[in-house]
Amino acid sequence: MHIQDVLPRDAIPSIDDPTFGTEYIGDDDDDVIVVETTPARAYPVRILSYHEIVNDVLGVGDRIESGRRSPGDSTDELRPVAVTWCPICASAVVYDRRVDGRVLTFGTSGKLADDALVMYDRETESEWKQPTGKAINGPLDGHELSVVPASVTSWNQFRSEYPDGIVLQPVHGGDGDPRGESPRTVYEMTPYERYDAAEGFGLREMRGEGRERSWDREDIDAKTVVLGITHGGDAVGYPVEQVQNAGGVVSDTVGDLDVLIVSSGNDIHAFEDPGYAFEFQEGALYGDGAKWDTTTGRSDDGRTLARVPSRRLYAFAWQDDHGPKSFYGLA
């Protein structure tokens, strides 16, 4: 593992007191990380690219008052989570912030490990590699965060599928901004879009300094989007192209967990396999006599598939952590 210091600690500020609303500052096709609490919450990549970590608390039955999360009347346990995003490796993972009975609060360490974000927790100052959720240094070295089921989809799709859903609000821009800039201007995506479109990858490419790392595979591009699942000591990454080449539906086993991977358009989602056959017909997913929504896992007869904890990231980052033979359908 190659670790390098890039910025001072917390130079990229986490969001520690998130607020939510119904209006979004970005575009319809912007990606958002979705957590299916009540109501569902969207965390836009546009905002996360400038903060990388949101320390939040989920609770079924939460309500929104004046744009801010406020516990409702639910008796369900509140769940502290870290919604995390690494722009270089396009790694979207939501973690439970509880470790050994302690709630941790995460910030950006200013370091990269294999071109991936290294987080640190403010309680013990241990350092954690973001795509794996494993502590790589400090008092909690060797511990691993639990992944919370989440997905990545477009803002337009989120608004369509979760009409009562809420979205993370910008921290900067608008009224009170010292430069008088709008949130849209502050959270400009041009540099990240340039990186995503470039052939190269890694820190040097993100900075526009040219390529540093090489990629010697021809069966998959370094920036292919992969949905990674780890379970029972096994790890399998599902490239979008491989799933779509299989008709958009893959049934597989990771460890002892039977999984169903579905991909429609640019989206890819993982659910627990209920044991019956699925197939796409005229762009819609059907199985066991019902029509299923690929984004939510809900059927038209009232059933819902259980979402599997996973992480969405570029192929090079998945290979860095799990090796070249960890991809579904590739040698």
Side-chain angles (χ1 to χ4, degrees):
M1 183 186 307
H2 175 60
I3 300 177
Q4 61 187 127
D5 290 298
V6 179
L7 294 169
R9 179 182 284 186
D10 292 322
I12 298 173
S14 62
I15 296 178
D16 300 328
D17 187 21
T19 61
F20 297 84
T22 58
E23 300 299 321
Y24 174 51
I25 64 169
D27 299 325
D28 284 349
D29 60 354
D30 283 355
D31 283 340
V32 296
I33 301 173
V34 179
V35 180
E36 293 169 320
T37 185
T38 305
R41 299 185 187 186
Y43 301 82
V45 167
R46 178 181 292 273
I47 296 175
L48 280 165
S49 293
Y50 287 85
H51 296 280
E52 300 190 354
I53 301 169
V54 179
N55 291 293
D56 199 3
V57 179
L58 306 178
V60 178
D62 278 8
R63 62 177 181 268
I64 302 304
E65 297 178 350
S66 302
R68 186 175 298 275
R69 180 189 56 77
S70 176
D73 298 327
S74 170
T75 58
D76 292 330
E77 180 184 7
L78 296 180
R79 188 174 195 180
V81 299
V83 181
T84 69
W85 168 254
C86 174
I88 295 177
C89 51
S91 175
V93 197
V94 180
Y95 291 113
D96 193 311
R97 293 194 280 122
R98 293 172 293 189
V99 175
D100 291 344
R102 180 189 308 191
V103 176
L104 304 179
T105 306
F106 291 94
T108 59
S109 70
K111 299 178 181 180
L112 293 178
D114 302 327
D115 288 312
L117 164 67
V118 175
M119 312 182 296
Y120 81 99
D121 70 79
R122 298 187 178 114
E123 287 70 28
T124 74
E125 298 193 341
S126 298
E127 295 177 340
W128 307 73
K129 189 175 183 184
Q130 184 265 350
T132 64
K134 293 181 180 178
I136 57 176
N137 188 29
L140 296 179
D141 188 6
H143 284 68
E144 184 173 353
L145 301 171
S146 296
V147 179
V148 175
S151 62
V152 177
T153 190
S154 69
W155 163 249
N156 186 56
Q157 188 73 13
F158 174 82
R159 180 48 67 216
S160 173
E161 300 295 343
Y162 304 94
D164 296 326
I166 53 178
V167 59
L168 177 70
Q169 296 298 291
V171 175
H172 304 302
D175 295 340
D177 183 79
R179 298 183 180 179
E181 295 179 330
S182 69
R184 177 59 180 257
T185 300
V186 172
Y187 294 100
E188 172 59 48
M189 288 299 289
T190 299
Y192 301 102
E193 291 169 349
R194 182 209 63 79
Y195 171 73
D196 290 339
E199 287 189 17
F201 62 96
L203 176 63
R204 286 181 59 84
E205 187 66 59
M206 174 65 81
R207 288 179 165 178
E209 298 172 351
R211 299 183 190 180
E212 179 181 16
R213 297 185 60 176
S214 61
W215 184 255
D216 57 5
R217 300 188 67 145
E218 296 182 357
D219 56 349
I220 185 172
D221 291 335
K223 287 181 177 174
T224 293
V225 171
V226 170
L227 192 69
I229 299 174
T230 59
H231 186 82
D234 197 7
V236 182
Y238 298 88
V240 168
E241 287 88 345
Q242 294 300 114
V243 176
Q244 293 180 349
N245 289 341
V249 184
V250 167
S251 293
D252 199 18
T253 301
V254 183
D256 61 355
L257 178 65
D258 294 329
V259 298
L260 177 75
I261 314 299
V262 296
S263 180
S264 177
N266 294 324
D267 283 3
I268 184 167
H269 302 274
F271 304 99
E272 293 183 16
D273 192 339
Y276 35 82
F278 288 85
E279 65 176 345
F280 276 96
Q281 299 177 10
E282 299 180 352
L285 182 67
Y286 291 89
D288 198 38
K291 181 179 178 181
W292 299 80
D293 186 289
T294 58
T295 300
T296 64
R298 295 193 293 257
S299 71
D300 59 4
D301 62 4
R303 290 176 286 176
T304 302
L305 299 174
R307 192 177 297 278
V308 171
S310 61
R311 58 207 83 206
R312 181 267 205 194
L313 70 175
Y314 281 148
F316 81 84
W318 179 259
Q319 179 168 294
D320 282 345
D321 292 325
H322 302 286
K325 296 182 180 181
S326 61
F327 296 96
Y328 173 83
L330 302 178

